């Protein structure tokens, strides 16, 4: 476990050195600028729009970090040939994969936490400007703890995307890994259509294939509860627990696959 | 050295831009506003998990379209994109309450204040009801469109009644239904409904419209009183007045009467008809409604 921790902290330090955290400044500036500009444009919907925009920005910034750093986690080590010195140390390959993954998840956690603080600060400012945290015209308070549910689900999505990127990073080039990761992210939001494919096709094998893909491909759309929390629609704790369990199991499967592929790779 | 070079290049870019704007003031001809995607289901898929943000963008676009069209001198094709934009907004975010309610007012509102298409307003609100069937505000707004724009008081009453059956609906919704059945479209009922819209709606344009409608109802009351004065003049003098000055000289009025917006009323010297001036912000007044039962 010491090796895993060591690798994870190094991945985090490297991302800090690579100025990944600069995106936080961009996020904060964007939210503040938008909060000042929106009042005139939105006919009283500025708090709703700040909530929507903040959650979407957390998801997009996180997606870019998860994808573009995730795809380089292993392939960069191979390209730079630093993989040889790493593997010559008393580190098992599965520890390397897990450490790399946890390092990027730590980077994402710090990012998402900092963005959440900036997000709530802007919402607090909006509430103060409006003269109260909950006006009758709003569906939910401006500074609403329920938003954390959506942020937690975004973080789970990012954890899955990181695992996908890491998996592709173990056997393909960065460009191909990026394309495949983003494609799976898109499919992950589309695949509810696969579930009901039998309603539009008559071929039973095609319907069976669609259903199989539905259950095997990452299903990210249930993890999207942004609209529900913004509109104060209750999101049951059981639903969040199922999502969390699903994400953790799926991530385990992806990391296991990444480890198996990585262990079979010959770097001689 | 480099900084000076960058500064120079940026300055040249600024100068070129200014020259282009001076030479081609309006730029090359561009088509009117275009909606590249007009299908709700398509855009829902394209938006992935960013539906609500895209809904916000379409909402802002709908507001800009409405604001721009309101100022257009030409009435042809005005507000043509208002329904598609609100339809896309509500497809992307089916719980966007204000988008439905905004549509209810401004799709139904006749020119020049809106698109003059109450049937589209009702279609949009019915879409909202399919998404959130317990939202009494949508039933209220459908009833209101039937009452105010279509003058169909029976249907209006039915929608108000259905709204009053939803959980959490206010007590006064049931009184609307009763008033509509008993008195049809009388001014007092209209006044109460607009006051409620003013106090329960958000959005500056909706509130502005509600305030204007309340002033128009006051103007209709004032015109009724002025007609009585005109008739009194006729009774005394045996002829119709040709100007406000004649009525003032007869001691029936102290001054030229002004509407609630401060513009003098007009008195047609040929017909004796009294109306708000074409220059008044209250012009044109809404069509008078007819009671359901005499």
């Amino acid at each position: 476990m010491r090796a895993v921790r060591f690798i994870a902290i190094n991945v985090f330090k490297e991302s800090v050195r690579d100025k990944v955290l600069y995106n936080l400044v961009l996020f904060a500036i964007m939210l503040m600028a938008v909060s000042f500009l929106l009042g005139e444009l939105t006919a009283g919907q500025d708090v709703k729009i700040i909530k929507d925009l903040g959650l979407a920005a957390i998801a997009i910034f996180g997606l870019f970090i998860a994808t573009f750093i995730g795809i380089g986690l292993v392939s960069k080590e191979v390209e730079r040939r630093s993989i040889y010195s790493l593997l010559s140390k008393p580190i098992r390959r599965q520890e390397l994969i897990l450490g790399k993954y946890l390092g990027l998840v730590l980077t994402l956690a710090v990012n998402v936490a900092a963005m959440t603080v900036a997000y709530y600060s802007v919402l607090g400012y909006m509430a103060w400007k409006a003269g109260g945290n909950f006006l009758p015209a709003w569906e939910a308070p401006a500074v609403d703890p329920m938003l954390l549910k959506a942020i937690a689900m975004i973080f789970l999505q990012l954890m899955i995307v990181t695992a996908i990127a890491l998996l592709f990073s173990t056997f393909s080039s960065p460009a191909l890994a990026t394309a495949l990761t983003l494609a799976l992210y898109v499919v992950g939001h589309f695949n509810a259509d696969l579930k009901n494919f039998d309603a539009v096709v008559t071929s039973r094998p095609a319907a069976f294939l669609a259903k199989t893909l539905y259950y095997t491909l990452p299903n990210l759309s249930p993890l999207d509860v942004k609209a529900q929390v913004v509109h104060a629609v209750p999101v049951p704790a059981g639903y969040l627990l199922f999502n969390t369990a699903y994400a953790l199991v799926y991530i385990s499967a992806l990391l296991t696959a990444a480890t198996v592929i990585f262990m079979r790779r010959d770097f001689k | 050295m480099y900084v000076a070079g960058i500064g120079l290049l940026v300055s040249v870019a600024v100068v070129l831009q200014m020259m282009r704007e001076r030479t081609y003031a309006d730029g090359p001809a561009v088509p009117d506003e275009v909606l590249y995607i007009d299908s709700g289901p398509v855009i829902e898929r394209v938006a992935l998990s960013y539906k609500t943000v895209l809904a916000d963008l379409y909402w802002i676009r709908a507001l800009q379209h409405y604001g721009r069209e309101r100022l257009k001198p030409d009435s042809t094709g005005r507000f043509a994109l208002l329904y598609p934009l609100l339809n896309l907004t509500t497809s992307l975010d089916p719980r966007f309450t204000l988008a439905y309610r905004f549509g209810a007012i401004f799709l139904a509102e006749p020119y020049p204040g809106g698109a003059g298409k109450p049937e589209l307003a009702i279609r949009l609100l019915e879409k909202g009801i399919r998404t959130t069937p317990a939202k009494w505000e949508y039933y209220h707004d459908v009833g209101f469109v039937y009452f105010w724009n279509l003058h169909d008081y029976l249907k209006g009453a039915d929608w108000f009644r259905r709204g009053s059956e939803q959980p959490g609906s206010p007590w006064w919704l049931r009184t609307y239904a009763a008033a509509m059945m008993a008195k049809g479209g009388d001014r007092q009922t209209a006044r109460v409904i607009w006051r409620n819209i003013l106090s329960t709606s958000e959005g500056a344009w909706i509130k502005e419209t509600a305030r204007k409608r309340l002033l128009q109802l006051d103007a209709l009351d004032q015109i009724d009183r002025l007609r009585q004065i005109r008739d009194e003049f006729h009774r005394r003098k045996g002829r119709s007045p040709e100007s406000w000055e004649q009525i003032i000289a007869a001691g029936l009025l102290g001054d030229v009467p002004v509407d609630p917006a401060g513009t003098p009323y007009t008195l047609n010297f040929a017909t004796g008809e009294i109306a708000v001036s074409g220059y008044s912000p209250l012009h044109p007044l809404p069509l008078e409604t007819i009671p359901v039962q005499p």
Side-chain angles (χ1 to χ4, degrees), chain B residues 71-131:
Chain B
L71 301 174
K72 250 169 78 171
D74 178 17
S75 69
T76 47
R78 271 172 78 172
F79 306 106
L81 291 186
L82 190 56
Y83 176 76
L85 286 168
L86 291 172
N87 187 35
L88 287 175
T89 305
T90 51
S91 292
L92 288 162
D93 187 352
R95 291 177 182 273
F96 204 143
T97 305
L98 187 58
Y100 294 109
R101 305 203 73 192
F102 182 90
I105 303 272
F106 295 112
L107 283 169
E109 182 88 354
Y111 288 124
K117 293 184 173 157
E119 70 285 356
L120 290 181
I122 292 170
R123 194 193 296 175
L124 190 68
L125 287 163
E126 284 177 338
K127 181 179 170 191
I129 289 170
R130 282 196 297 277
T131 308

Side-chain angles (χ1 to χ4, degrees), chain A residues 141-158:
Chain A
V143 183
D144 186 2
M146 292 303 112
L147 294 168
L148 290 173
K149 289 183 178 178
I151 295 171
M153 291 297 106
I154 289 170
F155 187 64
L156 282 181
Q157 287 189 52
L158 297 178

Side-chain angles (χ1 to χ4, degrees), chain B residues 25-191:
Chain B
D26 297 327
V30 288
D32 282 346
E33 272 192 290
V34 177
L35 206 55
Y36 293 101
I37 300 175
D38 61 359
S39 158
V42 169
I43 203 156
E44 266 183 79
R45 276 163 177 74
V46 172
L48 297 177
S49 74
Y50 305 100
K51 294 183 182 70
T52 50
V53 170
L54 211 52
D56 296 338
L57 290 176
Y58 273 106
W59 166 243
I60 291 171
R61 213 179 143 190
L63 291 177
Q64 288 177 329
H65 174 73
Y66 175 74
R68 199 166 29 242
E69 295 292 294
R70 224 163 57 142
L71 301 174
K72 250 169 78 171
D74 178 17
S75 69
T76 47
R78 271 172 78 172
F79 306 106
L81 291 186
L82 190 56
Y83 176 76
L85 286 168
L86 291 172
N87 187 35
L88 287 175
T89 305
T90 51
S91 292
L92 288 162
D93 187 352
R95 291 177 182 273
F96 204 143
T97 305
L98 187 58
Y100 294 109
R101 305 203 73 192
F102 182 90
I105 303 272
F106 295 112
L107 283 169
E109 182 88 354
Y111 288 124
K117 293 184 173 157
E119 70 285 356
L120 290 181
I122 292 170
R123 194 193 296 175
L124 190 68
L125 287 163
E126 284 177 338
K127 181 179 170 191
I129 289 170
R130 282 196 297 277
T131 308
T132 35
K135 192 99 180 164
W136 64 264
E137 287 93 337
Y138 300 154
Y139 298 86
H140 167 277
D141 291 350
V142 178
F144 178 74
V145 172
Y146 275 115
F147 160 65
W148 184 259
N149 300 103
L150 299 171
H151 308 307
D152 187 337
Y153 309 117
L154 292 177
K155 278 196 176 163
D158 185 46
W159 279 97
F160 287 136
R161 180 192 55 73
R162 288 174 63 186
S164 71
E165 288 166 359
Q166 303 309 315
S169 62
W171 60 270
W172 41 260
L173 206 51
R174 192 164 285 280
T175 66
Y176 280 13
M180 201 104 340
M181 293 298 285
K183 294 185 281 183
D186 76 324
R187 278 182 213 154
Q188 192 48 34
T189 311
R191 194 171 270 122

Side-chain angles (χ1 to χ4, degrees), chain A residues 129-235:
Chain A
K129 206 171 69 170
N133 191 34
F134 187 50
L135 302 189
W138 296 347
E139 289 169 300
V143 183
D144 186 2
M146 292 303 112
L147 294 168
L148 290 173
K149 289 183 178 178
I151 295 171
M153 291 297 106
I154 289 170
F155 187 64
L156 282 181
Q157 287 189 52
L158 297 178
M159 285 174 70
I160 294 177
V161 173
T162 306
I164 294 170
L166 181 61
L167 169 66
F168 290 132
S169 169
T170 55
F171 65 86
S172 67
S173 67
L176 184 61
T178 309
L180 291 171
T181 305
L182 291 177
L184 268 190
Y185 175 79
V186 171
V187 168
H189 285 283
F190 265 122
N191 64 359
D193 290 340
L194 292 171
K195 190 183 178 189
N196 305 317
F197 210 58
D198 51 356
V200 288
V201 293
T202 48
S203 161
R204 284 173 67 89
F208 177 77
L209 180 67
K211 197 134 261 172
T212 309
L213 286 173
Y214 168 73
Y215 282 111
T216 49
L217 290 172
N219 193 356
L220 299 176
S221 54
L223 277 72
D224 177 22
V225 293
K226 297 198 286 289
Q228 287 89 329
V229 296
V230 168
H231 289 296
V233 177
V235 183

Side-chain angles (χ1 to χ4, degrees), chain B residues 234-268:
Chain B
H234 191 273
R235 228 179 345 266
R236 286 189 193 177
K237 306 281 182 183
R239 61 179 172 86
S240 292
E242 290 169 359
S243 67
W244 291 120
E245 285 69 25
Q246 289 180 358
I247 299 178
I248 293 165
L252 292 169
L253 274 176
D255 210 343
V256 174
V258 293
D259 68 27
T263 311
Y265 285 106
T266 59
L267 174 65
N268 187 314

